[in-house]
Amino acid sequence: MHRVLMTGAAGGIGRALRETLRGVYPVLRLSDRVPLAPARDGEEVDVTELADMGAVRRMVEGVDAIIHLGGVSAENTWESILQSNIVGIFNLFEAAREAGVRRIVFATSNHAVGFYPRKERIDHRVVPRPDSRYGVSKAFGEALGSLYSDKHGIGVFLIRIGNFGEKPIDKRRLSIWISPRDLGELIRIGIEHPDIRYEIVYGVSGNARSWYDNANAHRLGYRPQDDSEPYAEAVLAAEAGAPQDAIAEYYQGGTFCAAEYTAKTRRD
Ligand code: 15L
């Protein structure tokens, strides 16, 4: 892989990965809708609005692989999700097909499957159960990836990211946390593994409290170095006695499930 494009490079994950991936590929092209810090050796910077197909075509020109972090990264209005995460990801896959891009790593989310109960351990084969318009847009991206893999032979690697950060920030995140170095390793598997056609993995560290069976990631060589457990005591103590929402507590997606919730009975 000579030139690798990373979208969403101005976001939290993008800024961290810019450092992790520095020098790993001969050229790292960094893109976002907002201006980025100037290019250093081995970098190119670009400003692109994903909903603008002409701009997306220019963004993917000459690229071998894409790490797609761009778009809206939390619940939002339908109009905003529609432009950035539905039209935007369609533009990205279509422009990638036209340009002959061989590999796409897509940062999907735990919220594509957030309505699975916490008591259930899920793997990469479950059907989507989005917990928000945002989660629906991630499930749409996963489906689009399947189409472009089957029909056009693009290698598609989908990482259902839990929660990225230096450490887990609350009880829910003890189950879904991923450290910067573990996400860096997963991304590199997605770009560099020779046999990726269409794969879904969970973007979580080796957490003892995980809700996921991440066997597919392990099969592809993922060996997480971090576990949230050393942080558990402090995290749980900080949260003790705080008010809890029954729906948020029941489902994996937490507050994304509870927001705007109007069902009379809970679906297991
Ligand atoms: C996500 O998908 C979001 O991008 C991130 O901001 C967090 O909300 C995370 O999920 C989470 O579930 O903690």
Side-chain angles (χ1 to χ4, degrees), residues 39 73 96 150 180 217 246:
S73 64
D150 283 338

Side-chain angles (χ1 to χ4, degrees), residues 73 109-111 134 161-163 172-173 176 256:
S73 64
S109 167
N110 71 90
H111 296 291
Y134 165 68
I161 299 180
N163 189 261
R172 177 173 164 269
R173 270 56 172 253
I176 66 167
F256 282 63

Side-chain angles (χ1 to χ4, degrees), residues 2 7 133 160 208 210 223 240:
H2 178 75
T7 68
R133 292 174 289 278
R160 286 182 180 153
S210 180
R223 301 286 176 267

Side-chain angles (χ1 to χ4, degrees), residues 172-206:
R172 177 173 164 269
R173 270 56 172 253
L174 291 173
S175 298
I176 66 167
W177 174 62
I178 185 160
S179 67
R181 63 178 170 179
D182 285 343
L183 184 59
E185 195 204 336
L186 262 183
I187 299 255
R188 288 197 59 177
I189 291 171
I191 297 288
E192 296 166 30
H193 194 292
D195 304 316
I196 303 289
R197 187 65 193 255
Y198 178 81
E199 299 293 349
I200 296 177
V201 300
Y202 288 91
V204 291
S205 283

